[in-house]
Amino acid sequence: MDKKVKIILYCMLCVFLVVTASIAENSGEKAIPVAVTPQTESGGETRGVRIEARTKVEDLGKYHAVLIGINDYVEMPRLKTPIGDVEALEKILREEYGFEDILLITDKTAIKPTAKNIVTSLRDKAKSLTDQDNLLVYFAGHGEQDRLIDESYWIPIEGKKDDTTSWIPHTSIRSLLETNNIKVKNFLLIADSCYSANLTRGVMTADEVGEKDPHARFNKLKEMASRKSREVITSGSNEPVQDAVKGSSHSLFAHYMLEALKDNEDKYADFASLFNGRIKTGIDRYGLQTPDRSRVRSAVDSNGLFVLAKIHAKDLPPKVDKDALIKQLMTQLSAALGKIDDLTTKNKTTELELEKISKDLQSKNKETSDLKIALNENKTKLDAERSRLESERTVIVKQQSDLALKSKLIAEEESRIKANGLLIATSEIEKLSQEKIKLDAEMKLLKEKERSQQDNFKQLQHSEETYAKRFEMLQEKEKSLAVLDDKYRQREQELKSKDQEVVLLKEQIKSLNQTINDMRGMLTAGTKVPIDPSSSGRFLVLENVVIDTTSKLMWMRKATSTRGMKYDEAEKYVDELTFGDYAQWRLPTTSELEKLIGKEGLDKLYPEGYPFAEVLSNVYYWSSSAVSQRPKVYNAISGNVTSMSKKSENYVWPVRDASPEEIVKAKSLVENAKLNN
């Protein structure tokens, strides 16, 4: 892929992420809450509190929180939900409202919720803050009342039955709100425990901001957030409150408080408005406890408000055509997948070219190597021959010199005899003549040897010239080899670069798929009732999953949760799939698909109460059934079953076995939804 395409795809990814965030924050649609029926547990019990801190959000200051939740009391009855409530609150405050300084005190944390630890932690945290900080304290646990002295208490984890000296009196907690020595700007105390009304003793009701115009409301909220405030919210009056409720894993109070925080789409929100608009109205429907919200009557309080700022939320949310946007994203995703196919094809071509170049390179490398070895051996022989001939020539030259000297001496001797008129014996003269003849013969032989040696030198010179030409040929081959090697390395680098682009593009496509799935999830959450009251006796619909009570199987409600994929990829997808609270998904058998829809398919008959969406025609769904190593596939429209290669691409309709407990719970939720509808 060229650089331009890569930049375009990267920009597409950025746009997708921005749009996703925009939809998540600005969608005007809200999910209809699951109906919950209060169910008193043993102990009639309370909820948890936590304090968290947070970074500065615009000009609102820093946010801190202490959240306390107690489940496993030493002597008091065990509670079910406080720890889960404060952990869920911590997640929302940190991820959606930017809290960073959060102190969590539960049975599971290093700091245990003993009386000493709770009081010390609250005092130390409050003392350490300045008039630029906001502090939220949340307590979830048992509460009790001593009617003799009209005092109420938080009960720590080690609190003893009927022993008020081991409890934490509300008066000591309330004193933190009333004292001038604590400089924190906005201080909010939330208590989800029994008999909490004494915390609001001596206070007046705090009014929420009544502005309707969005801009005026935001300006008013920011102005009130700049003034000091001391507020208290309690889950009930002087009465027991619900620990666990049907249809939720949280207490009645925590369920609606968490829901209000999560569903809030305004950039600025105060707890007064959230309490009046969502929390209190939800709890009041059941008439089992009376939540309250008040402002502490104290010189410290300056009629301010504890205001939250939701991360990424917009002041004036634009309307978004989410369906059109998803279609656009799907089109762009399809184009990106096409780019991957194109890159993959080009890479295969490059790989084949590399293979050819590699073979050519190996052949020429061997040819060059063999030539270099032969030339080296030839050079060694030539050097040895030259050395031998030069040594022989040295010997011949010396012998010629010696013979010439002897001949000169004989000639000089003859001249001396003639000059002096000496009479020499005939035998001596003959001896000198014979010696001279011998010398002439030796000289003649040396001249012949010299001529032979000159011929050898000429032959050696010819061999050296041949060697020089072959050496030049070797150099040319090495140059050609270097060019070929450079070409190979260049192609190899191009392939690596393209492979990296493919990996990057696959990661982007994976992110795009996740983005689109998340957007679909948001659309579903924003437009559908989580529990469908129209479910028949056979099908139980729980948000995006459906339980078929006849087969005791749980199916994905959408039959096109993924793009088409190969069999191995489909198996891996369902193995790793976790959807909501459900894991252990798998591919269905063809028998299970036929039992769900029928052998004749949806063209002929839709099952009673049919709840599924996006069942496509002209496509097949993978099954775990197989014939001769070829997986079977199923067409939901025609009911046709056939087998296909694992390399073909088909859709996935995940299924899992529903446990008896899950089926019972689903039936209860559906019945509650019908009653409340």
Side-chain angles (χ1 to χ4, degrees), residues 108-297:
K108 301 189 296 183
T109 58
I111 301 176
K112 302 301 179 185
T114 63
K116 179 180 179 181
N117 287 342
I118 291 173
V119 173
T120 300
S121 296
L122 291 178
R123 286 172 58 86
D124 290 347
K125 179 62 68 177
K127 285 192 302 181
S128 68
L129 302 181
T130 70
D131 58 4
Q132 298 299 311
D133 295 307
N134 305 283
L135 175 60
L136 185 153
V137 174
Y138 191 101
F139 177 82
H142 276 302
E144 267 299 347
Q145 185 179 37
D146 184 351
R147 299 187 183 277
L148 179 65
I149 60 174
D150 194 22
E151 175 67 286
S152 53
Y153 304 84
W154 286 350
I155 300 182
I157 193 169
E158 82 281 14
K160 301 181 182 299
K161 292 182 179 180
D162 302 321
D163 182 2
T164 59
T165 62
S166 65
W167 303 344
I168 304 172
H170 283 171
T171 50
S172 64
I173 302 299
R174 194 169 61 245
S175 65
L176 294 173
L177 296 164
E178 296 172 343
T179 179
N180 291 329
N181 295 325
I182 293 178
K183 305 301 182 184
V184 65
K185 180 178 62 171
N186 295 306
F187 193 160
L188 173 62
L189 174 65
I190 303 177
D192 187 4
S193 59
C194 301
Y195 308 106
S196 298
N198 279 354
L199 284 170
T200 60
R201 181 182 297 173
V203 302
M204 60 182 178
T205 301
D207 295 328
E208 62 176 295
V209 174
E211 295 285 354
K212 300 300 182 183
D213 178 74
H215 289 292
R217 176 178 173 79
F218 295 150
N219 291 334
K220 182 65 175 178
L221 281 172
K222 286 191 285 185
E223 188 273 327
M224 295 191 72
S226 67
R227 302 201 303 259
K228 285 192 174 184
S229 67
R230 298 293 184 266
E231 298 175 81
V232 176
I233 293 177
T234 61
S235 62
S237 183
N238 284 327
E239 61 195 1
V241 297
Q242 306 305 306
D243 173 38
V245 293
K246 289 182 178 179
S248 175
S249 58
H250 302 292
S251 75
L252 183 62
F253 175 82
H255 173 83
Y256 284 102
M257 183 193 67
L258 294 170
E259 187 179 73
L261 289 170
K262 187 174 183 180
D263 291 346
N264 167 50
E265 294 179 350
D266 295 329
K267 183 171 185 178
Y268 297 106
D270 63 292
F271 265 100
S273 300
L274 294 176
F275 180 85
N276 291 335
R278 294 294 300 273
I279 302 172
K280 189 175 188 303
T281 54
I283 296 173
D284 284 349
R285 285 188 294 175
Y286 304 102
L288 298 177
Q289 61 194 68
T290 309
D292 193 14
R293 174 187 56 80
S294 301
R295 182 187 299 279
V296 175
R297 189 185 298 277

Side-chain angles (χ1 to χ4, degrees), residues 9-10 13 504-513:
L9 285 175
Y10 179 77
L13 178 61
L504 177 61
L505 191 56
K506 284 182 178 179
E507 290 175 354
Q508 290 173 345
I509 287 175
K510 181 179 179 181
S511 178
L512 292 177
N513 273 320

Side-chain angles (χ1 to χ4, degrees), residues 262-476:
K262 187 174 183 180
D263 291 346
N264 167 50
E265 294 179 350
D266 295 329
K267 183 171 185 178
Y268 297 106
D270 63 292
F271 265 100
S273 300
L274 294 176
F275 180 85
N276 291 335
R278 294 294 300 273
I279 302 172
K280 189 175 188 303
T281 54
I283 296 173
D284 284 349
R285 285 188 294 175
Y286 304 102
L288 298 177
Q289 61 194 68
T290 309
D292 193 14
R293 174 187 56 80
S294 301
R295 182 187 299 279
V296 175
R297 189 185 298 277
S298 167
V300 181
D301 187 274
S302 301
N303 293 320
L305 279 178
F306 195 101
V307 177
L308 297 171
K310 193 160 188 177
I311 299 174
H312 306 312
K314 306 298 181 184
D315 288 0
L316 297 174
K319 291 185 178 180
V320 178
D321 186 346
K322 295 181 286 293
D323 290 326
L325 183 58
I326 283 186
K327 288 181 181 178
Q328 179 185 355
L329 289 173
M330 291 298 292
T331 300
Q332 292 170 331
L333 179 61
S334 177
L337 290 170
K339 294 290 184 183
I340 273 212
D341 291 339
D342 183 52
L343 267 179
T344 302
T345 301
K346 289 181 178 178
N347 281 5
K348 286 181 179 178
T349 302
T350 304
E351 286 174 355
L352 291 174
E353 184 183 356
L354 269 177
E355 185 178 354
K356 182 177 180 300
I357 293 174
S358 178
K359 288 180 179 178
D360 194 15
L361 196 59
Q362 289 176 359
S363 174
K364 291 191 176 183
N365 258 324
K366 186 176 186 308
E367 181 183 341
T368 304
S369 177
D370 291 345
L371 178 58
K372 188 179 289 187
I373 292 171
L375 284 176
N376 286 336
E377 291 176 351
N378 195 3
K379 182 69 165 58
T380 302
K381 291 178 180 179
L382 289 175
D383 289 343
E385 179 66 11
R386 176 174 286 278
S387 178
R388 185 184 66 78
L389 289 175
E390 287 178 348
S391 178
E392 285 182 359
R393 184 167 61 182
T394 301
V395 172
I396 290 171
V397 170
K398 187 176 184 306
Q399 288 177 345
Q400 286 177 334
S401 177
D402 290 345
L403 288 174
L405 180 60
K406 285 182 179 181
S407 180
K408 181 181 179 182
L409 290 175
I410 290 172
E412 288 177 351
E413 183 63 19
E414 285 180 344
S415 297
R416 187 182 65 79
I417 291 173
K418 289 178 179 180
N420 293 327
L422 297 178
L423 297 175
I424 304 299
T426 302
S427 59
E428 288 294 330
I429 293 175
E430 288 179 356
K431 183 178 179 182
L432 286 173
S433 297
Q434 289 296 326
E435 190 173 351
K436 187 175 181 181
I437 291 170
K438 183 179 179 182
L439 284 175
D440 289 340
E442 288 181 6
M443 184 66 74
K444 183 179 180 181
L445 182 62
L446 281 176
K447 285 182 179 181
E448 289 176 357
K449 187 181 288 186
E450 185 178 24
R451 282 195 296 272
S452 175
Q453 193 186 49
Q454 287 174 351
D455 291 340
N456 288 339
F457 266 109
K458 287 180 181 180
Q459 186 177 354
L460 175 63
Q461 186 176 8
H462 178 71
S463 297
E464 287 178 336
E465 289 172 355
T466 302
Y467 170 82
K469 289 179 181 179
R470 294 184 69 190
F471 186 76
E472 288 178 3
M473 185 189 305
L474 174 64
Q475 289 179 322
E476 290 300 321

